[in-house]
Amino acid sequence: MTSRRTLLKGTLLGSAAALLPAIATASGGGSMLRLPAPVGPHHVGMQRVHLTDPARTDPWGGGTRELMLTVLYPARSIRGFSRAPQLTPDEAVVFGQYAPLVHPGLPEAGVVDWGAVLTHGYVDAPPLPGQRPVLVYSPGGGDSRTLGTTLAEDLAGHGWVVVLVDHPGDASQVELPSGLRTTILTGPPDPATFRTMVDTRIEDLRLVLDQLGNLPLASAIDTRRIGLYGHSAGGTAAVYAACGDDRVGAVANLEGYLDLYPPAGFDRPLRLFRTDGFEGAARIEFSWSRLPGRRVMLADANHWTFTDYGPLVAQLHRAGLVTAESRAALIGTGDPRVKLAEVGTRLRNFFARHLV
């Protein structure tokens, strides 16, 4: 029987194919969109990793739970290795369809060549020798792990191993070895769906922690020094995943609610980031009120400043493809490169202080 997922994939790929001649690039050549280059002392290597959890059934699609990871790390050499695209070709098509539906004001499908955006990570480049602390990242609800690339590259360029985790089923798109998974979300999740989403992410993160010593780059990872960070629903999941798990030494929550249930007995170092433009500010503050973590406020910013939407939306705005109102609603009015650099510096300092 043909699944809804297969039908959706076919519909998206077919409609996007009809639009391909209209895809716009900067000045008629090359990608219009570029991610900020990391400024750390090291080049960045990148590997994709597929995990399965035979003990769990996927709550969104049935079958064995699967995850896709991107592992970023300081590289010994990049000679002869290629930079990775932010999205695979199939992922880019689905993202182009999905983005303007979830974030009204982004360009319609076919206007931007999302598949031409390159990361600054070199695929399978050899790692620097030695073991390094590891940070595990969970993205916002409905987002794919690739939207956390800029922060992750900054951290890896400064000597950290970073594991970006995709959560198939709620992520907009994930390319697995078995094919493309697309999101089940058609709008903001209701409370029951949100709880399922976060509970699933908590188990996903704990699976990643279980498997750190078995990853292809295990020899570069110091499993005695582990931190979690996440954006929005990913920040929610990161805090709850750390509860009662002594493997996690510190957590950073980038504007995620913490009111699903009390994070009972949470005693890890915690950094809580938020923006002054986020419409959920009152709920955020109330849900954080009983936690001891230090707060960080980003001025002239909004919820997706913490992600690659920051620099990408700013470039689309300069090109006349996003209005000033849509830009402000997504990332605020400040310079997103400056905001991401500030978040990166604060994350590095926070985790360096507590993962010793």
Side-chain angles (χ1 to χ4, degrees):
M1 178 182 295
T2 302
S3 69
R4 176 182 177 276
R5 188 176 300 115
T6 302
L7 285 172
L8 179 59
K9 178 183 176 183
T11 301
L12 293 178
L13 294 181
S15 60
L19 291 167
L20 283 177
I23 288 178
T25 54
S27 304
S31 172
M32 178 173 62
L33 299 176
R34 293 179 174 83
L35 297 177
V39 297
H42 306 298
H43 292 296
V44 177
M46 183 179 288
Q47 288 188 0
R48 287 166 56 94
V49 178
H50 175 237
L51 292 182
T52 61
D53 188 352
R56 279 196 297 154
T57 299
D58 190 298
W60 310 120
T64 300
R65 182 64 175 166
E66 298 179 81
L67 302 181
M68 284 302 300
L69 317 177
T70 298
V71 184
L72 300 94
Y73 51 91
R76 176 170 52 83
S77 171
I78 58 171
R79 184 182 297 274
F81 296 89
S82 300
R83 283 169 64 183
Q86 187 181 31
L87 299 166
T88 69
D90 279 0
E91 287 174 338
V93 170
V94 175
F95 180 79
Q97 292 278 338
Y98 172 87
L101 301 177
V102 176
H103 302 303
L106 289 181
E108 295 299 317
V111 174
V112 176
D113 186 358
W114 296 104
V117 180
L118 292 177
T119 71
H120 299 276
Y122 290 80
V123 180
D124 295 331
L128 282 174
Q131 290 190 322
R132 298 173 181 276
V134 59
L135 304 176
V136 180
Y137 171 77
S138 180
D143 285 346
S144 69
R145 71 192 190 280
T146 59
L147 287 169
T149 295
T150 299
L151 272 180
E153 288 182 340
D154 176 79
L155 292 162
H158 283 89
W160 301 80
V161 176
V162 183
V163 180
L164 305 180
V165 183
D166 247 329
H167 303 283
D170 86 68
S172 53
Q173 76 290 315
V174 185
E175 188 161 344
L176 296 160
S178 56
L180 194 71
R181 283 281 302 273
T182 53
T183 184
I184 57 87
L185 300 177
T186 56
D190 58 44
T193 301
F194 184 71
R195 181 178 291 270
T196 299
M197 184 170 72
V198 171
D199 288 344
T200 302
R201 286 162 167 258
I202 292 169
E203 293 304 313
D204 289 346
L205 291 174
R206 288 175 176 164
L207 172 66
V208 173
L209 298 183
D210 291 342
Q211 295 298 319
L212 286 176
N214 298 319
L215 298 181
L217 282 162
S219 62
I221 295 173
D222 184 349
T223 56
R224 299 165 301 177
R225 293 186 288 169
I226 299 172
L228 299 181
Y229 73 109
H231 172 241
S232 196
T236 305
V239 172
Y240 288 134
C243 290
D245 193 326
D246 292 337
R247 294 173 296 183
V248 179
V251 183
N253 173 7
L254 311 179
E255 209 156 55
Y257 298 123
L258 296 174
D259 54 5
L260 277 183
Y261 31 79
F266 190 87
D267 58 356
R268 301 313 135 71
L270 176 64
R271 190 58 46 89
L272 298 161
F273 290 78
R274 56 163 290 218
T275 61
D276 63 355
F278 183 44
E279 63 182 6
R283 180 181 170 189
I284 281 281
E285 284 299 323
F286 179 77
S287 73
W288 291 357
S289 60
R290 286 180 284 181
L291 288 165
R294 179 180 171 187
R295 275 70 161 161
V296 176
M297 174 70 79
L298 297 184
D300 304 317
N302 215 324
H303 191 56
W304 280 273
T305 296
F306 298 105
T307 74
D308 294 344
Y309 275 123
L312 297 179
V313 167
Q315 291 169 68
L316 291 170
H317 174 234
R318 288 195 297 272
L321 296 174
V322 166
T323 67
E325 292 76 14
S326 295
R327 182 197 194 279
L330 287 167
I331 64 170
T333 58
D335 186 334
R337 289 176 178 255
V338 173
K339 303 303 177 186
L340 272 174
E342 177 185 349
V343 174
T345 298
R346 289 180 179 275
L347 285 176
R348 293 197 312 271
N349 291 341
F350 169 69
F351 285 119
R353 185 177 306 117
H354 296 292
L355 301 183
V356 293

